[in-house]
Amino acid sequence: MAENDNNSSRAGIQVIARAAAILRALGENQGGMSLGQIAERVGLPRSTVQRIAGALQNERFVMSDGGGGGLRLGPAIGSLAEAARYNIVEQCRLILTELTQRTGETADLSVLRGAGMIFLDQVPGTHRLRTISSVGEVFPLTTTANGKACLSELPEKTARDLISTEWQRIGTDGDMGVFLAELSKIRETGLAYDCGDHTTGISAIGFAFRDWAGDLHAISVPIPTTRFEESRKTVEPELRRTAEGVRQMMV
């Protein structure tokens, strides 16, 4: 009896893992995917994908695209994402506050959504000259510390597509090889930099992390460029300390 229970438990865990893989694949391809494309992406038989996708459709986690684009994430995922967004803001508020207290600089929390970074929360710094952004404001990916940090955590093809799309939109003729090399360095060091690339007079340092749902977030510290070199000596180690704390929290 105990062996049957163990087998059943393992089977249940396997189904959950497979369903999660399917949902992640759809999340990375929001234009929709066919059953065959999903099967190829997650390395499962098409029949298995069809069975699990059918169960996910019944729960509204997946829906069929009437335009012939296959399957895409359903409305129930949006509800969970909104709950997770609120949760991550609550969980990170103390972390941002402590980071600001230790550095004197503003601390931001943002999330990667589509082709931009959306600011979720901010704790203003204690300096008279400080940087402030509005919650809900959307920032680009390729010229911001938080955007670069998140790009470095994506599969290369996904990152390339987002970079190319943004460069075309803003009319930038960038060097993809150089930019990908920068992302590689970010993965090695754990920190991304914006040296006045997005806004003249403001620089920033940040790191990326995934929440419990797998969504990419970033915590960044924007600093007036006039004191950037001086402040980074304090900010860099404090950001690494914060990153380790966030990763432990997400386990």
Side-chain angles (χ1 to χ4, degrees), residues 71-91:
L71 299 175
R72 62 173 65 214
L73 295 179
I77 288 291
S79 299
L80 290 178
E82 181 62 23
R85 186 191 72 80
Y86 176 78
N87 197 344
I88 198 70
V89 169
E90 290 298 300
Q91 291 289 335

Side-chain angles (χ1 to χ4, degrees), residues 66-124:
L71 299 175
R72 62 173 65 214
L73 295 179
I77 288 291
S79 299
L80 290 178
E82 181 62 23
R85 186 191 72 80
Y86 176 78
N87 197 344
I88 198 70
V89 169
E90 290 298 300
Q91 291 289 335
C92 286
R93 164 53 69 147
L94 178 59
I95 290 172
L96 295 181
T97 300
E98 291 177 343
L99 181 57
T100 292
Q101 290 173 346
R102 296 197 301 265
T103 64
E105 303 289 353
T106 297
D108 297 322
L109 172 67
S110 55
V111 61
L112 174 63
R113 282 285 181 267
M117 298 299 301
I118 299 178
F119 273 72
L120 300 180
D121 198 13
Q122 181 178 75
V123 175

